[in-house]
Amino acid sequence: DVKVTQSSRYLVKRTGEKVFLECVQDMDHENMFWYRQDPGLGLRLIYFSYDVKMKEKGDIPEGYSVSREKKERFSLILESASTNQTSMYLCASRTTGGAGYTFGSGTRLTIV
Amino acid sequence: RKEVEQDPGPFNVPEGATVAFNCTYSNSASQSFFWYRQDCRKEPKLLMSVYSSGNEDGRFTAQLNRASQYISLLIRDSKLSDSATYLCVVNSPGTGRRALTFGSGTRLQVQP
């Protein structure tokens, strides 16, 4: 089975901090994605990457950046954390033309 | 208008009942369609892909109506373990079809 691993299950950070969320997949998928999930709003795409060093903005990229230096790892960076970035963050990977995503177990991030 | 719209529910049904969910999507260029299941405080998991001719997987039947731009999921003989949120998902043509757009989900509660 494809495995997508997110480094932290729960995280609490302070306003203004730079926050790194890490995601690693073990099945050589080209495409990786970061979503956030909020009640009533569903999953919203922040950024995605279709190859090493390639990145594309999703629907809500403001306040975030990403890094993909290796195929298996996709990092989400909150440049200066704010309370409205408190959310569940979900990483996913997918092979091109594949049936769907495999998600990591999510990181529940709280900004205080 | 949201790209993918679902009735949030909850749908409360007794064990053994048949229940159906509908979902509409706004982008006629969407090509891939899925239903995901999400349990409380867990990541979404792929339930089934949806094909143009309709498809069945055990007690679950998915249908696609391209002309009206809606997707349906039918669950027969509901089990307690079917209680979850069901997410309607379509691919996002604006991302080169790499990324997926999620509905906010329909919550199902199966009662004994």
Side-chain angles (χ1 to χ4, degrees), chain A residues 9-10 31 33 35 37 40-43 45 48 50 59 88 90 94 98-101 103-105 108, chain B residues 2-3 32 34 36 38 41-46 49 87 91 95-104:
Chain A
R9 192 83 172 94
Y10 297 94
N31 305 292
F33 308 84
Y35 285 82
Q37 186 174 26
L41 297 176
L43 278 86
L45 180 64
F48 69 100
Y50 55 89
D59 300 318
M88 167 70 93
L90 288 156
R94 181 186 191 199
Y101 289 164
F103 280 93
S105 53
R108 193 166 290 277
Chain B
K2 285 185 180 179
E3 283 195 54
S32 303
F34 309 94
Y36 275 71
Q38 187 172 26
R41 305 185 80 82
K42 300 271 190 172
E43 74 274 20
K45 293 188 176 175
L46 179 65
S49 301
L87 305 172
N91 75 305
T95 63
R97 297 195 172 87
R98 293 187 176 93
L100 300 178
T101 298
F102 289 75
S104 299

Side-chain angles (χ1 to χ4, degrees), chain A residues 21-50:
Chain A
L21 302 183
E22 306 287 345
C23 175
V24 177
Q25 50 98 1
D26 66 0
M27 281 298 289
D28 204 36
H29 283 176
E30 302 86 3
N31 305 292
M32 295 186 75
F33 308 84
W34 277 105
Y35 285 82
R36 64 178 281 179
Q37 186 174 26
D38 301 287
L41 297 176
L43 278 86
R44 293 179 290 166
L45 180 64
I46 304 171
Y47 266 98
F48 69 100
S49 168
Y50 55 89

Side-chain angles (χ1 to χ4, degrees), chain A:
Chain A
D1 275 356
V2 176
K3 195 165 182 187
V4 178
T5 304
Q6 293 184 231
S7 53
S8 303
R9 192 83 172 94
Y10 297 94
L11 210 52
V12 180
K13 295 291 183 180
R14 294 196 178 276
T15 303
E17 275 194 70
K18 191 167 186 176
V19 180
F20 294 84
L21 302 183
E22 306 287 345
C23 175
V24 177
Q25 50 98 1
D26 66 0
M27 281 298 289
D28 204 36
H29 283 176
E30 302 86 3
N31 305 292
M32 295 186 75
F33 308 84
W34 277 105
Y35 285 82
R36 64 178 281 179
Q37 186 174 26
D38 301 287
L41 297 176
L43 278 86
R44 293 179 290 166
L45 180 64
I46 304 171
Y47 266 98
F48 69 100
S49 168
Y50 55 89
D51 202 350
V52 175
K53 298 192 187 296
M54 305 305 289
K55 59 186 178 184
E56 295 273 351
K57 291 180 180 179
D59 300 318
I60 52 162
E62 297 78 19
Y64 303 94
S65 63
V66 289
S67 171
R68 194 162 180 207
E69 295 296 316
K70 293 184 177 181
K71 192 174 186 179
E72 67 271 19
R73 185 179 296 271
F74 191 36
S75 303
L76 179 70
I77 303 148
L78 284 67
E79 297 291 345
S80 176
S82 64
T83 54
N84 63 12
Q85 292 178 309
T86 291
S87 187
M88 167 70 93
Y89 288 86
L90 288 156
C91 175
S93 74
R94 181 186 191 199
T95 192
T96 300
Y101 289 164
T102 299
F103 280 93
S105 53
T107 296
R108 193 166 290 277
L109 175 65
T110 302
I111 307 296
V112 298

Side-chain angles (χ1 to χ4, degrees), chain B:
Chain B
R1 186 186 168 189
K2 285 185 180 179
E3 283 195 54
V4 181
E5 296 212 52
Q6 295 182 251
D7 180 343
F11 284 58
N12 295 303
V13 302
E15 270 187 290
T18 296
V19 61
F21 310 134
N22 289 330
C23 156
T24 57
Y25 62 96
S26 61
N27 194 325
S28 59
S30 295
Q31 293 289 329
S32 303
F33 308 91
F34 309 94
W35 283 101
Y36 275 71
R37 170 196 169 122
Q38 187 172 26
D39 293 297
C40 190
R41 305 185 80 82
K42 300 271 190 172
E43 74 274 20
K45 293 188 176 175
L46 179 65
L47 178 67
M48 59 196 301
S49 301
V50 185
Y51 302 116
S52 298
S53 53
N55 49 297
E56 195 172 299
D57 183 0
R59 297 181 293 109
F60 299 84
T61 301
Q63 299 275 357
L64 168 64
N65 184 319
R66 285 189 187 272
S68 302
Q69 292 180 211
Y70 80 78
I71 305 155
S72 64
L73 177 69
L74 182 80
I75 306 175
R76 289 182 299 279
D77 189 21
S78 300
K79 312 287 185 197
L80 293 175
S81 58
D82 294 334
S83 298
T85 296
Y86 291 84
L87 305 172
C88 175
V89 184
V90 306
N91 75 305
S92 310
T95 63
R97 297 195 172 87
R98 293 187 176 93
L100 300 178
T101 298
F102 289 75
S104 299
T106 297
R107 195 153 65 90
L108 171 66
Q109 186 66 47
V110 181
Q111 294 162 340

